[in-house]
Amino acid sequence: MKRFAALYFLYLALLFVFFYAPTSALSTLLNEGQTKLTLFLLGLFLEPGQLKGIDIWVNPHYKIIINQACNGMIPILFLFASILAYPSSVLHKLLWLLIGYIVFSVVNIMRLLFVSYATQTGNGQEEFYWSHDLVGNALLMLTGLGLFIAFIKNSKKRHYCSLK
């Protein structure tokens, strides 16, 4: 368990430095690509003209801005760190990294659509708070937990080698 925790935090730090923080052209490219993918998928479900650039206009006076923090990469990287730290085969990890990415991308789109709908049908800021900060974040946490449990249940445990 200590080894898992140590590896988890190491992988989490490395993933955030190399794939989220604006530390390289690669991380910037990945986040811009993920944000563009998120906006494209949102555009398929929003009303015509509701999505303008990175803004979802929920009414003429209130918009939701979709930026790097909304593209779903943060929960994806938390899940990736968990999968990478867990003792399992490389092929099994790669499969679940792909599954996790796809599931989180879909769930994030559903979350953003829910936040947009709740904010649009309500009076704005109050509905945004509970739909985004409470329900939306709980949905992402439960999705990550569910995916990691499914990964563990479908994994053949490999024991770490220890030096004595």
Side-chain angles (χ1 to χ4, degrees):
M1 184 63 161
K2 288 180 186 177
R3 182 169 170 99
F4 171 79
L7 285 173
Y8 171 76
F9 288 113
L10 174 65
Y11 287 131
L12 190 60
L14 291 173
L15 288 169
F16 269 84
V17 166
F18 292 113
F19 298 114
Y20 188 75
T23 55
S24 69
L26 175 64
S27 65
T28 302
L29 182 68
L30 285 173
N31 280 286
E32 286 176 0
Q34 183 67 17
T35 301
K36 287 178 184 176
L37 176 63
T38 301
L39 291 167
F40 171 76
L41 294 172
L42 280 171
L44 298 175
F45 298 100
L46 294 171
E47 296 174 17
Q50 192 174 6
L51 181 65
K52 294 179 182 167
I54 62 169
D55 302 328
I56 300 172
W57 286 90
V58 293
N59 67 44
H61 309 289
Y62 197 82
K63 66 181 176 180
I64 298 171
I65 301 167
I66 306 300
N67 57 25
Q68 180 177 339
C70 302
N71 69 12
M73 285 301 292
I74 292 173
I76 289 169
L77 295 179
F78 274 94
L79 176 66
F80 282 12
S82 301
I83 289 172
L84 293 171
Y86 192 80
S88 183
S89 72
V90 173
L91 187 58
H92 184 70
K93 288 180 181 186
L94 289 174
L95 173 67
W96 279 90
L97 291 174
L98 178 64
I99 291 169
Y101 175 77
I102 292 169
V103 169
F104 259 125
S105 295
V106 170
V107 168
N108 190 50
I109 296 302
M110 292 174 13
R111 175 186 73 94
L112 292 170
L113 290 170
F114 170 72
V115 170
S116 299
Y117 178 76
T119 306
Q120 186 174 15
T121 58
N123 65 5
Q125 189 122 9
E126 187 176 312
E127 279 74 12
F128 177 82
Y129 167 73
W130 70 262
S131 64
H132 181 272
D133 294 354
L134 301 178
V135 177
N137 287 338
L139 177 65
L140 291 175
M141 285 188 280
L142 290 172
T143 300
L145 182 60
L147 283 167
F148 188 58
I149 289 170
F151 164 75
I152 291 172
K153 288 193 177 270
N154 288 293
S155 177
K156 294 177 183 171
K157 283 192 179 182
R158 281 187 11 198
H159 299 284
Y160 290 116
C161 295
S162 60
L163 298 174
K164 292 183 181 183

